[in-house]
Amino acid sequence: MRQLFSPGKEQLLDAELDGTFSDARKDHPFPAHRARELTRTERKLRRAFAESDFAFDAQIAYGPIDHLRPLGGSPQLGTYIKQLWQRRHFIWLESRSKVSSTAMGNTLGLTWLVFKPLLDAAFYIILFGLILKTSRGVDNYIAFVTIGVFMFQSTTNAITNSIGSIRASKSMIRAFNFPRASIPIALVIRNFIERIPAYLAMFALIALIPPHEMPELSWLLFPVILAMHMIFDFGLTLIFARCGSAFPDLSHIVGFAMRFLLYGSGVIFPITNFVTHPDVLAVVEANPVLIVLDMYRTVLIDGLIPEWTQWAQFGAWSLGLFVIGFIWFWRGEESYARERQN
């Protein structure tokens, strides 16, 4: 039977590639993707599929197969965004379920999400404030470190948790056809929900520990800065999720990089007080994490509105990372279901 079909297979392939295969297609409307020019990847996939014995036999038995498309392929960007919006309820439920599973996995539940930054802040205050005396020139060093540690961990969690997020969801990715960006979005929402108790504890600490930082009108800007911070973290999540999918060992490298980011972002001491070289200082001051931490401290400790340059700089960082990260993640959509080649 295979020999009987062989002579006509090449003719069918040639006719399909030049668009003249129409006898069996006359009664079948073109699918949506034929109304546009095929991408290079789609043309290669079409040629490879059309050359297979399975495709030839399937068209002989069932007619045109133009309506078929690979599972996990990348749709158009507008369609992709629409699919994400249609699955917003799933994303929300996925985020809440992961928060619940995290709480059930620990004896103290979500309390550890407050204790960990609290213990970190206490350690840094003792080591850098009391022993190394890096607190000189800072009026309220306890509030300085508390805000730095609590808010910095939002970014570190976004990066470290995103690296293995795609690999941890391989079974779901292979079983269902859905926009893979749902996974990083759910991760960012989960991170926000888990950290709400930590934010409340941070407010209580800086208000109760002398010198007391009592609520002022400037505190109303905290949610605005936090929203920008979440967009920034989302961009990082998308980038590191794709990188981690292709290179799992990245998690080991990121662990060291986070230490440099910790000390270079003014989390536990004002880094700008220890940098004198103008070029190095310019690089340090352009650090988006340092900028956003300074904005938090300005509204919570100083009771002032951050400078417009800080709004512009961090806004550009957040928007830029979001756009670049989203497009780059979307372009790798069809690679997330593949087995990693060693």
Side-chain angles (χ1 to χ4, degrees), residues 63-314:
I65 56 176
D66 286 17
H67 61 285
L68 298 179
R69 65 180 181 88
L71 183 64
S74 299
Q76 292 296 304
L77 184 58
T79 304
Y80 191 70
I81 296 174
K82 182 179 180 181
Q83 290 175 351
L84 285 172
W85 175 251
Q86 292 172 344
R87 288 162 176 80
R88 62 191 183 278
H89 302 297
F90 160 76
I91 295 172
W92 172 249
L93 292 175
E94 173 71 6
S95 304
R96 292 184 58 185
S97 66
K98 289 297 179 64
V99 173
S100 300
S101 62
T102 301
M104 294 174 61
N106 298 317
T107 303
L108 297 180
L110 295 178
T111 308
W112 277 116
L113 299 175
V114 177
F115 280 166
K116 185 181 184 305
L118 184 61
L119 293 175
D120 288 340
F123 170 77
Y124 292 134
I125 289 171
I126 295 173
L127 178 61
F128 290 92
L130 300 180
I131 299 177
L132 298 180
K133 304 296 183 181
T134 59
S135 60
R136 288 173 294 184
V138 181
D139 294 333
N140 190 347
Y141 185 71
I142 294 178
F144 181 94
V145 174
T146 301
I147 294 172
V149 170
F150 274 72
M151 302 313 300
F152 178 74
Q153 288 192 355
S154 175
T155 296
T156 57
N157 288 345
I159 294 175
T160 55
N161 293 338
S162 63
I163 293 175
S165 60
I166 298 298
R167 288 182 288 112
S169 305
K170 282 286 187 182
S171 57
M172 183 172 64
I173 290 175
R174 291 172 182 156
F176 303 100
N177 186 20
F178 65 97
R180 313 311 189 208
S182 303
I183 298 172
I185 294 175
L187 186 61
V188 172
I189 297 175
R190 169 194 169 187
N191 185 35
F192 169 72
I193 296 174
E194 288 180 341
R195 297 198 62 77
I196 290 177
Y199 298 148
L200 297 177
M202 180 185 69
F203 295 145
L205 287 173
I206 64 176
L208 296 176
I209 299 177
H212 311 283
E213 301 296 344
M214 303 309 295
E216 300 185 43
L217 288 177
S218 61
W219 284 35
L220 296 176
L221 291 175
F222 178 85
V224 180
I225 302 173
L226 180 61
M228 296 173 63
H229 195 175
M230 290 182 63
I231 295 174
F232 175 81
D233 288 344
F234 181 44
L236 291 176
T237 300
L238 291 167
I239 293 173
F240 280 94
R242 181 174 178 182
C243 291
S245 175
F247 185 54
D249 294 340
L250 182 64
S251 58
H252 303 290
I253 301 174
V254 165
F256 292 99
M258 288 298 99
R259 297 180 189 177
F260 285 101
L261 188 62
L262 172 71
Y263 297 118
S265 300
V267 176
I268 50 184
F269 56 84
I271 183 65
T272 54
N273 291 352
F274 299 90
V275 178
T276 57
H277 195 282
D279 294 334
V280 177
L281 182 61
V283 173
V284 170
E285 291 178 340
N287 179 358
V289 179
L290 182 144
I291 295 173
V292 72
L293 292 182
D294 189 55
M295 294 174 69
Y296 283 126
R297 290 165 177 150
T298 299
V299 299
L300 296 179
I301 298 178
D302 300 333
L304 302 174
I305 299 176
E307 298 180 1
W308 71 268
T309 53
Q310 291 183 315
W311 291 102
Q313 284 179 304
F314 190 68

Side-chain angles (χ1 to χ4, degrees), residues 9 13 17 41-56:
K9 182 177 178 181
L13 174 59
L17 293 177
T41 302
E42 290 172 336
R43 288 196 300 269
K44 290 173 63 178
L45 181 62
R46 171 177 288 280
R47 178 179 289 276
F49 187 61
E51 289 176 348
S52 67
D53 292 334
F54 170 78
F56 178 74

